[in-house]
Every structure is written in structure tokens, then in C-alpha cells.
Amino acid sequence: MVRWTGGVPGSGARALAAVVAGALPALTFPEPSLWWLAYGALVPWMLLLRTAPTGRRAVVEGWLGGLGFMVAVHHWLIPSLHVFTVVLAALLALLWAPWGWLVRALLGDPAGGPRAALAALVAVPCGWLMIELVRSWQGLGGPWGLLGAGQWQVAPALRLASVGGVWLVSLAVVAVNTAVTAVIALPRARVPVCGALGVCALAATVVAVAAPRPEESGRVRVALVQPGVLDGHDGAERRFARAEELTRGLAGRDLDLVVWGESSVGADLGRRPDLARRLAALSRAVGAELLVNVDARRPGPGGGIHKSAVLVGPAGPTGDRYDKMRLVPFGEYVPARGLLGWATSVGRAAAEDRLRGTRPVVLTLADGLRVGPLVCFESAFPDMTRRLAAEGARLVVVQSATSTFQRSWAPEQHASLAALRAAESGRPVAHATLTGVSTAYGPDGRRRGPVLATSASGAAVYELPLARGTTAYLRYGDWAVYGAFGALVALGAAAGVRRLSRGR
């Protein structure tokens, strides 16, 4: 009988195939949003890995596929970092090298039986999740392009996210890809693999139905102000004036909060009392507090530049502020500047490091509503929204600016992350930007209200349901990550015991 092996002739052709196959999952994220592709996007790469002639070759092709993946999901950084984007991607892609070996070890034998296939069904997704966990560390770039994030508009996936976070969604997506690969490549294992996948799907359905859901409790009316792209000099002043004009048009809309995007105010309000007075006048005109974002140097000795969410009421700044804690590598600071400072000469890396905040802050509005602010990149981190919700935030607000990447896939992808954060936390999330995409999501992760695209300059009002109670992810946190690590340890220990018993 002839069996399909998926081999690609020649090491050069295999290398190119690995890079292209690794890049395929990027199409599942916005802007393309081919979410359905995620459930087969890894199959070509995995079929290639399992046919690698040696374990060393599988390691190389794992690294090359990781390189393709990282460049594809971060391609929008190339205009800013140029060749440094590829250098960073090549370093982070090393995380996929052992995963390539793992795929070959478990799926590489065409005569492999059910035991190897079922072990792969557990180990391969868990191995992928460990890669996502490591590269999610802020110093390595943060959790951008997690595979599960491509399912942000799929209701069952959002329900899974409420149980185990985006991590559980990634596990499910990779498990399906592993099962498809095993069905194609291991004829003897088709029935048990399909049976195991069916059991997992049934278990996931039961858990999703039985898991706690926050109960709707009240409504909040939030306006998001998006000045849009403004040409010419004095950008900060013109941006402020445009946001001021748009906000004034919101008078009489019965609002609870008006949100401006990241870096919407380009001067410290203590140094510019005229700006503080203009903001206070706007608050009085619309009958709601304003949450603006100040990107400026603070007064005082040694004062550096912070990005701060600042609450402004009818009498002026209330004194409540949140300083951004997790900064964008190279965009807002240069890691190990003494070693990597040369990056500023080949791209638009930060000439001066921004300063970090020290703790999350939950702001309390005049009507008692508690709001948890995040600034831009921070919405990619599941733990930050979870912590704000645990500390009492009933609404999460993200202030963002992606104008540097206006004509790329980045604005749409960034806005989609708010859907996952809403589903995980069971809290509505509003995502306000300077130049798009601005939108909002309910506590179930479903989009509520209009979308202000990158071509828009305007303001939109969102009536969002508030929710009380908890989700399983709020209650138990990153249990999917710990479970995946434990499963890998158990499988490794079992393999070690079998090897020892054979050697006796």
C-alpha cells in the first residue's frame, strides 16, 4: 500500500516550505480574519516536520517555520525596525525548534499506532502553549499573535476563553490541527484519534455550558473620541483641538464617560493649566467625566515621560491617574539600551525610554462606576484585565494609538484583542484610539455598537451592559497553562520510565 508522506524534495525546498507553512496562521488574524483557517493552518507545517529525515532537520524546520510565523504576524513593524524585525523574529523563532523535534518524534513513523497519535494529541498542543507562554513575557515582545486570538469573533471560542483564557483556545486550535495531521499521516490511528477528539469536543461543550456566567446588571453609556489622521505640523495641538470639537458635539447624549485615545494630550496638565481648563469645560458641557491620556514629561527633578490615563471632571483633573506599566519594546523603550541602542539608528526605535507605572489603578467615577484603564499594548496581556476585574472594575477601557502602523493589519488586530479580554473577564471593554480602530465589546466578548475604522474621524456612543459575578478564568486564572506544563512533565516522565524498562 502506498502511504502519503508529504515529503518535499531537497533541503532548500524544504526550508522555503517551512517558512511559508509557518506563516500561514497569520491569515487567521485581522485584517484577513480567516478564522476558520486556524483549524488546518498548522497541518502543512506539521506534515513537513514529521517527514524530516533526521531529528536535527526537524529542529531546523521548526525554527524556520517559527521565523515565518513571527515575521508574518509582526510584518507591520518592518517600516519602524527594518531588518531588526527579522533579527528579533529569528531569535524568538528558536522557541519552535524543540517543537519541531516533538512533532517528528510523535508523528514521524508512518506505521505509528494509536499510542503515539494520542500522545501527540496531548503533547503537541501543550508544547505549542509553552512557546506562547514564554514569548508572552513583555521583554520578549509580549503576547501578540497568540493562535487562539484569531478566534475573537467566534462565539464558542469566546466561551472557552471565559473558562481558560486565550490559552485554552490556543490549546483547542492546535489539538484540532494535530488530529487532522494524525488522520492524514497515520492510517492506523484514525479511529482512536477521531474518538478522542470527539470526547474532547463533548467535554469542552459541557464545561462551556456549565461554567459560571456573569449576570447582566445595569448599563453604561460610553463615548469614544477618535480625531483621525491629521496632516501638518503641531500634531499634538491639532489633535487636541479636533478631539475637543468632537467631544463638544456629544452634549446632551446622556453619557457616563468620554474616552480619548493614547497620547491624546501632549503636555502635562500641571504645566498647561489652559488645557486642564478646556478639558474641564468639556466635562461640564457633556455632563460626564473625561478619561484622557497624557504623554508628556512630568515636572520636578528627574521627571521622565509617562503615558498616563488621567480622569478629568467638571472642576478639572480629579487627581486619579494610571501610569502605563508595560511598555512596548523598542517603541517606548529599548531593552538593554547599552547593547541594543544601535536599533535607533536603523529604525524608529524610542530615542528616550518612557517611565513605567508601578501598579494597576481602578478609577471611580462620580456616579460610583469603577473603571479599569489600560494603555495600548497592555490589552494584549490577559492577566492585566483579570486583575482589574478582580479589584472591582466593572468597565475596562483601553486607550490606544496605532497611527504609526495605520496602513497595516495592526489596528484591526489590536482592536480584536478587546473581545477576548471582555470574554475572559466578564466585563465590557471599550477600545479607544486616535486614528482607528475604535470599538467596544460586551461582557460576553460580542461587539456592541459601531466601528470607527482607520479612515474615520468622529465620535461614537456605546451603550454597554454591565455585569456582576465571575468567570471561570477570573476565578482560576491560567490553569490551562499549568495543566499543559503538568501534562508535558507527565508524558516526559512516562517516556523516561519506558526507556529505562527497555534497557533492563
Side-chain angles (χ1 to χ4, degrees):
M1 183 175 70
V2 177
R3 291 191 177 96
W4 187 91
T5 61
V8 179
S11 60
R14 289 187 67 95
L16 178 60
V19 173
V20 173
L24 278 179
L27 297 175
T28 67
F29 301 111
E31 185 171 327
S33 285
L34 304 179
W35 63 266
W36 47 268
L37 183 62
Y39 298 95
L42 295 177
V43 172
W45 186 12
M46 293 170 68
L47 288 172
L48 184 70
L49 291 171
R50 66 169 295 276
T51 61
T54 65
R56 180 176 297 180
R57 184 66 199 179
V59 165
V60 171
E61 290 172 0
W63 170 68
L64 289 171
L67 173 63
F69 179 79
M70 292 302 291
V71 170
V73 298
H74 294 91
H75 72 276
W76 45 273
L77 287 173
I78 293 176
S80 296
L81 297 181
H82 305 305
V83 70
F84 202 60
T85 305
V86 180
V87 174
L88 289 173
L91 291 174
L92 288 171
L94 291 171
L95 293 169
W96 276 272
W99 187 77
W101 177 90
L102 180 66
V103 171
R104 181 184 181 273
L106 293 175
L107 297 174
D109 183 2
R115 176 180 291 180
L118 294 177
L121 202 56
V122 175
V124 171
C126 292
W128 182 281
L129 196 62
M130 293 302 101
I131 297 169
E132 292 200 336
L133 176 65
V134 173
R135 74 180 183 87
S136 292
W137 180 51
Q138 181 195 344
L140 293 180
W144 184 270
L146 301 184
L147 201 58
Q151 307 303 296
W152 65 277
Q153 72 277 57
V154 182
L158 290 172
R159 186 67 183 132
L160 273 186
S162 75
V163 175
V166 67
W167 313 111
L168 185 58
V169 184
S170 286
L171 271 177
V173 169
V174 183
V176 172
N177 278 271
T178 306
V180 173
T181 304
V183 166
I184 293 173
L186 304 177
R188 290 179 53 207
R190 286 172 182 168
V191 172
V193 165
C194 290
L197 197 61
V199 170
C200 290
L202 179 61
T205 301
V206 171
V207 169
V209 170
R213 299 171 185 258
E215 297 181 0
E216 190 171 315
S217 175
R219 296 263 164 172
V220 61
R221 287 177 60 83
V222 181
L224 306 183
V225 175
Q226 180 175 299
V229 177
L230 302 174
D231 298 323
H233 300 292
D234 301 322
E237 295 290 342
R238 295 183 67 237
R239 185 167 61 238
F240 187 100
R242 177 58 177 156
E244 186 178 34
E245 176 188 2
L246 292 169
T247 303
R248 197 176 292 116
L250 294 168
R253 300 292 297 274
D254 189 26
L255 300 172
D256 296 291
L257 180 67
V258 178
V259 183
W260 289 14
E262 182 186 18
S263 304
S264 48
V265 180
D268 183 83
L269 295 178
R271 288 180 168 176
R272 291 287 305 273
D274 59 314
L275 296 183
R277 287 193 294 271
R278 288 163 67 180
L279 290 170
L282 284 177
S283 176
R284 293 192 296 272
V286 300
E289 289 153 291
L290 275 62
L291 187 65
V292 300
N293 191 275
V294 177
D295 183 0
R297 190 177 303 279
R298 296 248 180 103
I305 302 175
H306 289 264
K307 289 193 174 182
S308 306
V310 178
L311 194 62
V312 180
T318 65
D320 294 327
R321 73 165 61 224
Y322 164 69
D323 296 330
K324 185 176 184 181
M325 297 170 60
R326 294 182 180 169
L327 305 178
V328 180
F330 297 97
E332 293 171 333
Y333 79 104
V334 176
R337 185 176 285 273
L339 179 64
L340 301 176
W342 58 270
T344 60
S345 64
V346 298
R348 293 195 291 250
E352 177 183 353
D353 291 349
R354 282 351 188 221
L355 299 184
R356 304 173 190 273
T358 57
R359 60 185 180 87
V361 175
V362 177
L363 309 173
T364 303
L365 304 186
D367 61 3
L369 180 67
R370 305 196 71 197
V371 177
L374 296 173
V375 182
C376 201
F377 177 60
E378 294 179 325
S379 70
F381 293 87
D383 67 297
M384 296 199 73
T385 309
R386 178 172 176 255
R387 183 168 176 182
L388 288 172
E391 293 187 2
R394 300 193 66 200
L395 168 69
V396 175
V397 172
V398 182
Q399 297 175 302
S400 175
T402 53
S403 53
T404 304
F405 315 108
Q406 191 73 1
R407 293 177 177 85
S408 73
W409 295 354
E412 287 82 2
Q413 189 170 346
H414 191 195
S416 72
L417 295 176
L420 289 157
R421 303 294 86 87
E424 291 167 344
S425 63
R427 303 293 182 265
V429 178
H431 181 90
T433 72
L434 293 180
T435 60
V437 172
S438 299
T439 189
Y441 302 89
D444 56 359
R446 290 192 297 116
R447 180 178 278 157
R448 308 294 177 101
V451 176
L452 294 176
T454 54
S455 59
S457 174
V461 176
Y462 301 81
E463 184 165 338
L464 300 174
L466 297 172
R468 292 190 180 277
T470 188
T471 64
Y473 182 68
L474 272 186
R475 184 176 296 172
Y476 303 113
D478 299 328
W479 63 266
V481 174
Y482 304 134
F485 179 76
L488 285 175
V489 170
L491 287 172
V497 169
R498 284 197 302 271
R499 183 169 296 181
L500 286 175
S501 63
R502 288 173 187 165
R504 290 177 182 173

